[in-house]
Amino acid sequence: MAILAVRGLSFAIAGQTILENVTFELDRGEFVSLVGPNGAGKTTLLRCLALVHRNWQGEILWHGRAAKRASQREWARFVAYLPQEERVDIPYTVEDFVLMGRYPHGSPFSPPSPRDIEAVREALELTNTWNFRHRLVRTLSGGERQRVMLAAVLAQQTPVLLLDEATTFLDFRHREEVQHLLEKINTQRQVAILAVTHDINTAALFSRRILALRDGHIVFDGPPATFMQESILQEVFGFRPLLVDHPQACIPVIVPTRSGGEP
Protein backbone atom coordinates (compact mmCIF):
# COMPACT_ATOMS: atom_id res chain seq x y z
CA MET A 1 0.00 0.00 0.00
CA ALA A 2 1.23 3.49 -0.87
CA ILE A 3 2.22 5.69 2.06
CA LEU A 4 0.32 8.58 0.42
CA ALA A 5 -2.37 8.22 -2.22
CA VAL A 6 -4.18 11.00 -4.08
CA ARG A 7 -7.41 10.12 -5.87
CA GLY A 8 -9.23 12.51 -8.19
CA LEU A 9 -8.07 15.63 -6.33
CA SER A 10 -9.66 18.85 -7.56
CA PHE A 11 -9.40 22.33 -6.10
CA ALA A 12 -10.85 25.69 -7.06
CA ILE A 13 -10.51 29.23 -5.73
CA ALA A 14 -13.25 31.81 -6.38
CA GLY A 15 -14.70 29.61 -9.09
CA GLN A 16 -11.38 29.16 -10.87
CA THR A 17 -10.17 25.57 -11.15
CA ILE A 18 -6.55 25.20 -10.03
CA LEU A 19 -6.29 21.40 -9.86
CA GLU A 20 -8.48 18.91 -11.68
CA ASN A 21 -8.67 15.14 -11.20
CA VAL A 22 -5.09 14.76 -9.93
CA THR A 23 -4.29 11.13 -9.15
CA PHE A 24 -0.98 9.59 -8.08
CA GLU A 25 0.69 7.61 -5.30
CA LEU A 26 3.82 8.13 -3.26
CA ASP A 27 5.58 5.07 -1.89
CA ARG A 28 7.85 4.89 1.13
CA GLY A 29 11.39 5.90 0.20
CA GLU A 30 10.46 7.49 -3.14
CA PHE A 31 12.03 10.76 -4.29
CA VAL A 32 9.59 12.45 -6.65
CA SER A 33 10.06 15.84 -8.26
CA LEU A 34 7.00 17.93 -9.12
CA VAL A 35 7.63 20.16 -12.14
CA GLY A 36 5.66 22.32 -14.51
CA PRO A 37 5.35 25.90 -15.80
CA ASN A 38 4.34 28.81 -13.59
CA GLY A 39 0.67 28.64 -12.68
CA ALA A 40 0.43 24.89 -13.24
CA GLY A 41 -0.80 24.26 -9.67
CA LYS A 42 2.36 22.82 -8.08
CA THR A 43 2.32 24.91 -4.90
CA THR A 44 -1.44 24.51 -4.56
CA LEU A 45 -1.06 20.74 -4.75
CA LEU A 46 1.51 20.75 -1.94
CA ARG A 47 -0.71 23.00 0.16
CA CYS A 48 -3.58 20.56 -0.29
CA LEU A 49 -1.37 17.63 0.70
CA ALA A 50 -0.17 19.58 3.76
CA LEU A 51 -3.83 20.31 4.68
CA VAL A 52 -3.21 24.04 4.46
CA HIS A 53 -6.13 23.89 2.02
CA ARG A 54 -8.91 21.56 3.15
CA ASN A 55 -11.80 22.40 0.84
CA TRP A 56 -10.62 20.19 -2.01
CA GLN A 57 -12.64 17.47 -3.70
CA GLY A 58 -11.43 13.89 -4.05
CA GLU A 59 -9.34 11.86 -1.64
CA ILE A 60 -5.97 12.13 0.07
CA LEU A 61 -5.15 8.91 1.90
CA TRP A 62 -2.27 8.10 4.25
CA HIS A 63 -1.78 4.39 4.81
CA GLY A 64 -5.33 4.06 3.51
CA ARG A 65 -6.83 6.54 6.01
CA ALA A 66 -8.66 9.68 4.90
CA ALA A 67 -6.59 12.82 5.50
CA LYS A 68 -9.68 14.93 6.21
CA ARG A 69 -10.27 12.90 9.36
CA ALA A 70 -6.85 13.85 10.74
CA SER A 71 -6.22 16.84 12.97
CA GLN A 72 -3.51 19.28 11.91
CA ARG A 73 -1.33 18.04 14.78
CA GLU A 74 -1.80 14.39 13.82
CA TRP A 75 -1.08 15.18 10.17
CA ALA A 76 2.11 17.03 11.16
CA ARG A 77 3.50 13.78 12.59
CA PHE A 78 3.10 12.26 9.14
CA VAL A 79 3.88 15.11 6.73
CA ALA A 80 6.39 17.96 7.06
CA TYR A 81 5.91 20.88 4.68
CA LEU A 82 8.51 23.44 3.65
CA PRO A 83 6.70 26.26 1.81
CA GLN A 84 8.23 28.79 -0.52
CA GLU A 85 10.35 31.38 1.26
CA GLU A 86 8.36 34.19 2.83
CA ARG A 87 10.26 37.12 4.31
CA VAL A 88 8.41 37.09 7.61
CA ASP A 89 10.14 38.52 10.67
CA ILE A 90 10.95 35.59 12.99
CA PRO A 91 12.02 36.89 16.44
CA TYR A 92 13.51 33.60 17.64
CA THR A 93 16.95 32.09 17.73
CA VAL A 94 17.73 29.42 15.16
CA GLU A 95 17.72 26.71 17.82
CA ASP A 96 14.38 27.77 19.29
CA PHE A 97 12.80 28.05 15.87
CA VAL A 98 13.91 24.57 14.83
CA LEU A 99 12.67 23.24 18.17
CA MET A 100 9.20 24.46 17.16
CA GLY A 101 9.30 21.78 14.47
CA ARG A 102 8.88 19.26 17.28
CA TYR A 103 5.42 20.59 18.23
CA PRO A 104 3.49 17.55 16.88
CA HIS A 105 5.36 15.19 19.19
CA GLY A 106 4.71 16.70 22.63
CA SER A 107 2.55 18.95 24.75
CA PRO A 108 2.78 22.72 24.21
CA PHE A 109 3.03 23.12 27.98
CA SER A 110 5.80 20.58 28.56
CA PRO A 111 9.55 21.25 28.35
CA PRO A 112 11.48 19.69 25.43
CA SER A 113 12.23 16.02 25.93
CA PRO A 114 15.71 14.52 25.41
CA ARG A 115 14.39 13.14 22.13
CA ASP A 116 13.34 16.64 21.05
CA ILE A 117 16.76 18.07 21.90
CA GLU A 118 18.51 15.29 19.98
CA ALA A 119 16.25 15.72 16.94
CA VAL A 120 16.98 19.46 16.85
CA ARG A 121 20.72 18.96 17.19
CA GLU A 122 20.72 16.37 14.42
CA ALA A 123 18.70 18.62 12.09
CA LEU A 124 21.02 21.58 12.74
CA GLU A 125 24.11 19.49 12.11
CA LEU A 126 22.69 17.92 8.95
CA THR A 127 21.94 21.36 7.49
CA ASN A 128 25.24 22.94 8.62
CA THR A 129 23.43 25.47 10.79
CA TRP A 130 24.65 24.32 14.21
CA ASN A 131 27.37 26.98 14.42
CA PHE A 132 24.87 29.84 14.34
CA ARG A 133 22.14 28.18 16.44
CA HIS A 134 22.14 31.10 18.91
CA ARG A 135 21.62 33.80 16.27
CA LEU A 136 18.22 35.34 15.61
CA VAL A 137 16.63 33.99 12.43
CA ARG A 138 15.96 37.52 11.19
CA THR A 139 19.71 38.27 11.11
CA LEU A 140 20.48 35.46 8.67
CA SER A 141 21.23 35.69 4.98
CA GLY A 142 18.73 34.23 2.53
CA GLY A 143 20.74 31.04 2.12
CA GLU A 144 21.28 30.58 5.85
CA ARG A 145 17.62 31.19 6.54
CA GLN A 146 16.56 28.64 3.93
CA ARG A 147 18.74 25.96 5.51
CA VAL A 148 17.20 26.76 8.91
CA MET A 149 13.73 26.34 7.41
CA LEU A 150 14.82 22.93 6.13
CA ALA A 151 16.24 22.05 9.55
CA ALA A 152 12.86 22.81 11.12
CA VAL A 153 11.01 20.37 8.87
CA LEU A 154 13.71 17.71 9.31
CA ALA A 155 13.30 18.03 13.08
CA GLN A 156 9.68 16.90 12.68
CA GLN A 157 11.05 13.47 11.69
CA THR A 158 8.10 12.61 9.48
CA PRO A 159 7.95 9.78 6.92
CA VAL A 160 6.93 12.27 4.21
CA LEU A 161 8.54 15.59 3.22
CA LEU A 162 6.80 18.13 1.00
CA LEU A 163 9.29 20.69 -0.28
CA ASP A 164 8.46 23.78 -2.33
CA GLU A 165 11.65 25.10 -3.94
CA ALA A 166 13.84 23.97 -1.05
CA THR A 167 17.05 25.29 -2.62
CA THR A 168 15.80 28.83 -3.28
CA PHE A 169 18.37 31.52 -2.38
CA LEU A 170 21.17 28.97 -1.99
CA ASP A 171 24.45 29.42 -3.81
CA PHE A 172 25.72 26.58 -5.97
CA ARG A 173 27.74 24.86 -3.22
CA HIS A 174 24.95 24.90 -0.66
CA ARG A 175 22.40 23.90 -3.29
CA GLU A 176 24.47 20.82 -4.08
CA GLU A 177 24.88 20.09 -0.36
CA VAL A 178 21.14 20.28 0.25
CA GLN A 179 20.38 18.03 -2.71
CA HIS A 180 22.83 15.42 -1.47
CA LEU A 181 21.40 15.76 2.04
CA LEU A 182 17.89 15.11 0.75
CA GLU A 183 19.18 12.15 -1.22
CA LYS A 184 20.80 10.77 1.95
CA ILE A 185 17.62 11.19 4.01
CA ASN A 186 15.61 9.60 1.25
CA THR A 187 17.82 6.55 0.78
CA GLN A 188 19.09 5.90 4.32
CA ARG A 189 15.92 6.72 6.25
CA GLN A 190 13.41 5.80 3.55
CA VAL A 191 11.72 9.19 3.87
CA ALA A 192 9.39 9.84 0.96
CA ILE A 193 10.04 13.24 -0.67
CA LEU A 194 7.79 15.18 -3.01
CA ALA A 195 9.68 18.29 -4.11
CA VAL A 196 8.58 21.17 -6.30
CA THR A 197 11.42 22.52 -8.40
CA HIS A 198 11.92 24.73 -11.44
CA ASP A 199 15.36 23.19 -11.97
CA ILE A 200 14.58 20.47 -14.50
CA ASN A 201 18.14 19.14 -14.55
CA THR A 202 18.17 18.72 -10.76
CA ALA A 203 14.84 16.93 -10.97
CA ALA A 204 16.21 14.58 -13.60
CA LEU A 205 19.46 13.83 -11.77
CA PHE A 206 18.17 13.37 -8.22
CA SER A 207 14.63 12.02 -8.60
CA ARG A 208 13.49 8.48 -9.04
CA ARG A 209 10.30 9.75 -10.63
CA ILE A 210 8.93 12.96 -12.09
CA LEU A 211 5.39 14.29 -11.93
CA ALA A 212 4.62 17.10 -14.36
CA LEU A 213 1.64 19.44 -13.98
CA ARG A 214 0.23 21.68 -16.65
CA ASP A 215 -2.97 23.71 -16.23
CA GLY A 216 -3.86 21.73 -13.10
CA HIS A 217 -3.58 18.33 -14.75
CA ILE A 218 -0.87 15.68 -14.47
CA VAL A 219 0.55 15.33 -17.98
CA PHE A 220 3.51 13.08 -17.11
CA ASP A 221 4.24 10.54 -14.40
CA GLY A 222 7.32 8.42 -14.93
CA PRO A 223 11.10 8.01 -14.78
CA PRO A 224 13.47 10.94 -15.44
CA ALA A 225 15.09 9.26 -18.46
CA THR A 226 11.72 9.15 -20.20
CA PHE A 227 10.83 12.69 -19.17
CA MET A 228 14.04 14.22 -20.55
CA GLN A 229 12.96 14.01 -24.16
CA GLU A 230 12.35 16.94 -26.45
CA SER A 231 8.74 16.02 -27.26
CA ILE A 232 7.71 15.61 -23.61
CA LEU A 233 9.50 18.75 -22.42
CA GLN A 234 7.86 20.72 -25.20
CA GLU A 235 4.43 19.36 -24.22
CA VAL A 236 4.95 20.31 -20.56
CA PHE A 237 6.80 23.62 -20.86
CA GLY A 238 6.09 24.77 -24.41
CA PHE A 239 9.70 25.14 -25.56
CA ARG A 240 12.20 23.07 -27.51
CA PRO A 241 15.22 22.41 -25.28
CA LEU A 242 18.77 21.65 -26.27
CA LEU A 243 19.65 18.32 -24.66
CA VAL A 244 23.08 16.78 -24.18
CA ASP A 245 24.12 13.62 -22.38
CA HIS A 246 25.32 14.17 -18.83
CA PRO A 247 28.99 13.11 -18.56
CA GLN A 248 28.37 11.07 -15.38
CA ALA A 249 24.71 10.08 -15.46
CA CYS A 250 23.10 8.12 -18.26
CA ILE A 251 20.49 10.79 -18.85
CA PRO A 252 20.13 13.90 -21.01
CA VAL A 253 20.23 17.36 -19.41
CA ILE A 254 19.22 20.78 -20.71
CA VAL A 255 21.92 23.27 -21.69
CA PRO A 256 21.38 26.92 -22.60
CA THR A 257 21.47 28.01 -26.22
CA ARG A 258 23.05 31.12 -27.67
CA SER A 259 20.64 33.67 -29.07
CA GLY A 260 20.98 34.33 -32.79
CA GLY A 261 23.43 31.53 -33.54
CA GLU A 262 24.04 27.85 -33.61
CA PRO A 263 24.25 26.21 -30.14
Side-chain angles (χ1 to χ4, degrees):
M1 181 183 294
I3 192 170
L4 182 68
V6 179
R7 300 278 184 265
L9 182 70
S10 297
F11 181 76
I13 298 177
Q16 180 180 358
T17 298
I18 309 298
L19 299 170
E20 187 169 4
N21 197 31
V22 171
T23 297
F24 68 94
E25 294 185 351
L26 185 65
D27 291 334
R28 182 174 178 83
E30 270 200 298
F31 195 135
V32 179
S33 286
L34 182 60
V35 304
N38 290 337
K42 303 183 296 297
T43 292
T44 299
L45 176 56
L46 286 199
R47 290 172 68 86
C48 288
L49 297 179
L51 301 191
V52 175
H53 297 316
R54 283 182 174 260
N55 57 329
W56 34 263
Q57 304 298 314
E59 288 187 315
I60 299 175
L61 305 172
W62 56 299
H63 295 298
R65 296 177 58 192
K68 281 190 174 180
R69 296 178 182 175
S71 67
Q72 197 70 47
R73 188 182 184 85
E74 184 180 16
W75 193 249
R77 291 196 292 268
F78 172 66
V79 166
Y81 170 50
L82 177 63
Q84 290 183 12
E85 169 72 359
E86 297 179 1
R87 297 304 297 183
V88 177
D89 184 29
I90 300 176
Y92 299 103
T93 67
V94 167
E95 190 170 29
D96 286 343
F97 178 76
V98 174
L99 181 60
M100 292 177 187
R102 297 294 299 169
Y103 83 92
H105 301 282
S107 167
F109 304 107
S110 300
S113 68
R115 185 175 179 180
D116 293 331
I117 299 301
E118 179 58 31
V120 169
R121 181 184 182 95
E122 183 180 62
L124 292 170
E125 289 179 342
L126 280 171
T127 54
N128 291 321
T129 54
W130 174 257
N131 289 339
F132 49 84
R133 64 191 181 278
H134 299 309
R135 286 178 57 186
L136 292 174
V137 174
R138 62 189 176 197
T139 68
L140 302 178
S141 70
E144 291 169 339
R145 183 183 172 106
Q146 188 71 358
R147 285 186 285 141
V148 168
M149 300 298 117
L150 180 58
V153 298
L154 293 181
Q156 280 182 242
Q157 295 184 326
T158 58
V160 175
L161 287 180
L162 305 175
L163 308 175
D164 198 349
E165 295 290 347
T167 56
T168 301
F169 302 118
L170 299 184
D171 59 32
F172 184 80
R173 179 174 70 87
H174 286 114
R175 187 165 66 245
E176 289 283 293
E177 287 178 356
V178 167
Q179 285 298 152
H180 287 293
L181 166 62
L182 294 175
E183 187 177 38
K184 178 181 178 180
I185 293 168
N186 169 248
T187 57
Q188 294 186 6
R189 302 184 184 181
Q190 289 295 286
V191 172
I193 297 175
L194 179 61
V196 168
T197 180
H198 285 288
D199 189 334
I200 304 172
N201 288 338
T202 295
L205 292 172
F206 286 93
S207 308
R208 300 184 192 179
R209 183 168 137 231
I210 290 179
L211 285 175
L213 277 176
R214 185 177 180 89
D215 298 326
H217 297 82
I218 290 182
V219 293
F220 180 87
D221 181 356
T226 304
F227 181 74
M228 297 299 284
Q229 298 181 28
E230 183 179 296
S231 59
I232 292 176
L233 290 167
Q234 185 169 15
E235 177 187 358
V236 175
F237 295 100
F239 80 106
R240 297 175 66 88
L242 176 62
L243 297 169
V244 300
D245 290 333
H246 191 279
Q248 295 176 322
C250 298
I251 192 170
V253 292
I254 299 173
V255 296
T257 58
R258 293 187 299 174
S259 178
E262 292 296 323

